[in-house]
Amino acid sequence: SVFAGMNRSAIENFSCVIYNVSLMNCTWQAGKDAPGDTQYFLYWQNSRYDDAMECEIYIKDENGRNTGCRFQNMRIEIEKAYFLVNGSSKDARIQFYDEYIQLYKIEKLMPPSNITVNCGEIKNDCIIQWQRPQISHSNEDNCFKYEINIKYK
């Protein structure tokens, strides 16, 4: 990018995962050529009408450098969320990294719950029931497909 700043000082390998319905973890690595005192800060916006917010709970490496963020109480909007990680250092200007992410694409789904199996003793028939996993962005059932593997012992 044309942004003034030291080459290869922006973060690398940025990725986020949503799990347990409302938790999100984002992680990254320091830029290869970033000075040792570089500290990174993550800002994000859930939709373009929300204010940008800074990460509240940073994940730090052994040198105290921010290399990730934990989010609680996520809610997934339909629009893309905007992420920006900028850095500061006494020795150099640090390049920023930004990315738009559709949050539903990074959600790790919970397993189905309340699974029950009732088998008839005489005929070999079983009724298997379950509830769909909770997801953070919708109450629609129609996007789920299930597969059942039955192993006879």
Side-chain angles (χ1 to χ4, degrees):
S1 80
V2 245
F3 171 70
M6 186 176 161
N7 272 346
R8 294 171 43 163
S9 61
I11 61 152
E12 299 171 11
N13 298 331
F14 182 79
S15 77
C16 300
V17 178
I18 293 172
Y19 60 99
N20 284 5
V21 182
S22 63
L23 304 176
M24 179 168 74
N25 260 17
C26 294
T27 57
W28 59 84
Q29 286 161 338
K32 286 197 177 49
D33 294 343
D37 75 331
T38 305
Q39 185 56 286
Y40 293 105
F41 305 95
L42 170 65
Y43 297 87
W44 82 293
Q45 222 172 343
N46 201 1
S47 79
R48 76 177 62 118
Y49 309 107
D50 289 354
D51 294 336
M53 294 171 289
E54 187 182 352
C55 170
E56 284 178 28
I57 310 165
Y58 281 109
I59 302 165
K60 295 177 180 296
D61 67 10
E62 59 280 1
N63 306 316
R65 178 183 273 179
N66 297 337
T67 54
C69 181
R70 284 199 179 90
F71 296 90
Q72 294 161 322
N73 308 319
M74 288 293 301
R75 45 167 230 290
I76 294 184
E77 304 288 347
I78 297 311
E79 291 185 64
K80 295 183 173 125
Y82 174 69
F83 293 84
L84 166 74
V85 181
N86 59 23
S88 67
S89 158
K90 292 194 296 289
D91 302 332
R93 288 194 60 186
I94 306 302
Q95 293 172 320
F96 70 86
Y97 171 92
D98 64 351
E99 186 180 350
Y100 285 93
I101 298 176
Q102 285 190 287
L103 296 180
Y104 75 88
K105 290 184 174 172
I106 59 168
E107 181 168 17
K108 204 173 166 176
L109 296 176
M110 303 286 287
S113 55
N114 294 339
I115 299 170
T116 59
V117 180
N118 291 308
C119 294
E121 280 178 33
I122 302 154
K123 291 206 296 257
N124 275 341
D125 60 346
C126 295
I127 294 172
I128 303 172
Q129 291 176 298
W130 61 87
Q131 282 180 319
R132 69 163 179 76
Q134 257 192 298
I135 50 175
S136 53
H137 58 279
S138 139
N139 285 319
E140 306 272 325
D141 284 339
N142 56 10
C143 37
F144 283 94
K145 286 188 177 148
Y146 301 94
E147 183 178 293
I148 298 173
N149 290 321
I150 298 173
K151 295 186 175 58
Y152 289 97
K153 292 232 184 305

